[in-house]
Amino acid sequence: EDGPPGGYSSNGTTIIRHSTYVTIKNPPTAVTYEIKSGAPEDKQITSPKYKTAVVANRRAYIGNVQYTDYESVVQTKGDAVIKSPVNQFDTFNLNGLLEASVNDGDNIVKLEAYADRLLIFKKNKLELVNISQEIEFLEDTFMHKGVNHPSATCKTDFGIAWVNKLGCYLYDGQKVINLIEKGGRQIIRDASNGGSDSWEEFTVYEPMIGYIPKKRQLIIVDDNSPTGHGKIFLYDMVTQSWVKGADSTITSTGNLTNFVTDWNGDLVYAHTNGTVVKWDDTSVSGFIDIRTKDIDFGQPGQRKKIYKVIVTYQSGNSTTNVQVDYGVDGDTTFAYDFTVPELPAADGWQVAELKPDDPSESNNVKSIRL
């Protein structure tokens, strides 16, 4: 306002004016995108879109990207990864472009990070990128170890696990391990050795995987859609053993989301119209079918005579209702019987000696399974 610094108004009110002057010694220059992002004009992008992302080393990595370049041209790079500047997780430019392999026709499906390594899962292969330094470099490429969809990978406290039609794998920070193999042999049979229990039959659709941290177990479901049967394989990472579940172990009446671990360390997923379910392996009443592997006593090619089988069990002093049968040489029908058709009640641990009811059926055999 104009006028003296003080005076009286017509109604007697005193008006006091104060003026403050601020001098800016270093006035700011124009703030540009290049100054804020550190990228020159020809490296700038807008409207970035991506199909997978992961955060590691205080950066965000996005894969299978689409963006508009500085010439307003929309670019789609299915085999590219773009990293953000440090602590700027929503800022991307072409200075952060990583292309381990270019135009190979194999698009990125999922990104995972573990032990200063970026795991780039494509449909046909896995690319392992070292991100421990400012300049990333391709460390290794694993053919036939890709995945078809994002729910086929998960993070565990042992490393990154994933599943495809050829196996179930774990990257532990040093090497890739095929979990369906152990000691130079295949734990889960292939299609040539039988149909219904084979890995090929189980993974005929689109298998997905989750991790149960409370029990350190991996759960693999045969499909993430109603096309599958809800069958599972469960892998215990401590005992390094597999268990196969029956049909409909997992709800298969609708499409399934990927598995996630909730705040309480439980594995959950949603199906059909958003129904959220927690994985629970608490025992319920019903029919239980336990089948051992083919036991060859370490001599698979030698003929043997099986005199008896010793089983240790308990039943809480109630009727067991457990019938024990056996098959030989890979037989899956379990057509042969023991002289004791049912395990008797056992209060505490008891030992049962089971002898074949027809000795000729267990003679001159290579293996036996119960």
Side-chain angles (χ1 to χ4, degrees):
E1 298 179 17
D2 294 326
Y8 294 95
S9 65
S10 59
N11 62 2
T13 302
T14 301
I15 300 175
I16 300 176
R17 297 181 178 88
H18 295 276
S19 298
T20 302
Y21 299 93
V22 177
T23 301
I24 300 177
K25 293 183 178 181
N26 298 303
T29 57
V31 178
T32 65
Y33 180 90
E34 180 174 350
I35 293 174
K36 295 291 289 183
S37 66
E41 181 181 1
D42 62 344
K43 299 293 185 180
Q44 298 171 14
I45 64 174
T46 57
S47 305
K49 301 176 183 178
Y50 50 91
K51 291 190 176 181
T52 179
V54 68
V55 175
N57 294 345
R58 302 302 299 166
R59 297 179 187 269
Y61 293 83
I62 58 176
N64 198 335
V65 297
Q66 183 182 84
Y67 58 85
T68 303
D69 65 17
Y70 78 104
E71 293 179 334
S72 300
V73 178
V74 176
Q75 303 284 352
T76 301
K77 293 181 177 292
D79 53 8
V81 175
I82 300 179
K83 68 176 180 179
S84 73
V86 175
N87 293 330
Q88 300 182 46
F89 304 108
D90 58 352
T91 302
F92 300 95
N93 58 69
L94 297 184
N95 278 341
L97 181 64
L98 309 178
E99 291 178 295
S101 55
V102 182
N103 297 329
D104 61 352
D106 201 5
N107 289 339
I108 295 173
V109 177
K110 185 67 179 297
L111 297 179
E112 294 280 9
Y114 186 77
D116 286 332
R117 303 296 188 274
L118 181 68
L119 286 76
I120 303 177
F121 289 97
K122 296 186 175 183
K123 289 188 176 181
N124 298 313
K125 62 185 176 184
L126 163 65
E127 295 174 336
L128 190 65
V129 177
N130 190 309
I131 57 175
S132 62
Q133 304 174 35
E134 182 66 24
I135 303 299
E136 298 83 1
F137 59 91
L138 180 63
E139 196 168 89
D140 209 341
T141 299
F142 301 92
M143 298 302 299
H144 312 299
K145 289 182 172 55
V147 297
N148 285 333
H149 55 91
S151 62
T153 76
C154 70
K155 179 172 286 188
T156 77
D157 50 1
F158 291 87
I160 303 298
W162 69 98
V163 59
N164 62 22
K165 297 181 185 300
L166 300 178
C168 181
Y169 307 95
L170 176 72
Y171 174 69
D172 62 1
Q174 296 181 341
K175 59 185 180 298
V176 174
I177 306 167
N178 192 346
L179 299 178
I180 69 171
E181 298 176 354
K182 184 179 181 181
R185 62 184 178 86
Q186 194 165 340
I187 301 176
I188 300 176
R189 68 176 62 195
D190 56 30
S192 62
N193 291 327
S196 61
D197 291 334
S198 71
W199 187 259
E200 289 87 341
E201 185 272 341
F202 177 77
T203 59
V204 69
Y205 304 112
E206 294 296 340
M208 71 176 192
I209 191 171
Y211 180 59
I212 309 169
K214 289 184 176 180
K215 296 192 174 182
R216 296 187 176 182
Q217 294 173 338
L218 291 172
I219 180 172
I220 298 95
V221 184
D222 65 346
D223 193 17
N224 58 2
S225 75
T227 308
H229 304 289
K231 294 186 293 186
I232 71 162
F233 268 114
L234 194 70
Y235 178 74
D236 190 293
M237 304 187 77
V238 177
T239 63
Q240 300 180 9
S241 58
W242 287 91
V243 175
K244 184 182 180 184
D247 288 3
S248 301
T249 303
I250 291 288
T251 301
S252 59
T253 57
N255 291 320
L256 307 181
T257 67
N258 58 300
F259 287 111
V260 296
T261 304
D262 68 7
W263 62 273
N264 196 37
D266 294 313
L267 194 70
V268 299
Y269 67 98
H271 65 88
T272 318
N273 296 319
T275 304
V276 179
V277 182
K278 181 181 73 172
W279 167 254
D280 186 7
D281 59 1
T282 303
S283 299
V284 296
S285 60
F287 180 76
I288 303 298
D289 184 359
I290 301 176
R291 305 183 181 195
T292 71
K293 66 178 182 179
D294 283 308
I295 303 171
D296 57 20
F297 308 100
Q299 300 290 336
Q302 182 177 336
R303 296 284 179 174
K304 310 167 185 71
K305 181 176 182 179
I306 312 298
Y307 291 94
K308 62 183 175 181
V309 175
I310 299 175
V311 177
T312 304
Y313 70 100
Q314 63 175 327
S315 66
N317 203 27
S318 60
T319 303
T320 66
N321 294 317
V322 175
Q323 291 79 41
V324 187
D325 301 313
Y326 74 96
V328 297
D329 296 341
D331 174 53
T332 59
T333 62
F334 300 93
Y336 301 141
D337 300 318
F338 293 102
T339 55
V340 178
E342 181 175 305
L343 295 180
D347 186 11
W349 291 106
Q350 299 293 329
V351 176
E353 293 189 359
L354 308 177
K355 298 180 179 180
D357 63 350
D358 184 349
S360 65
E361 296 171 345
S362 62
N363 188 27
N364 198 31
V365 300
K366 291 183 177 180
S367 65
I368 183 174
R369 63 187 308 213
L370 306 183

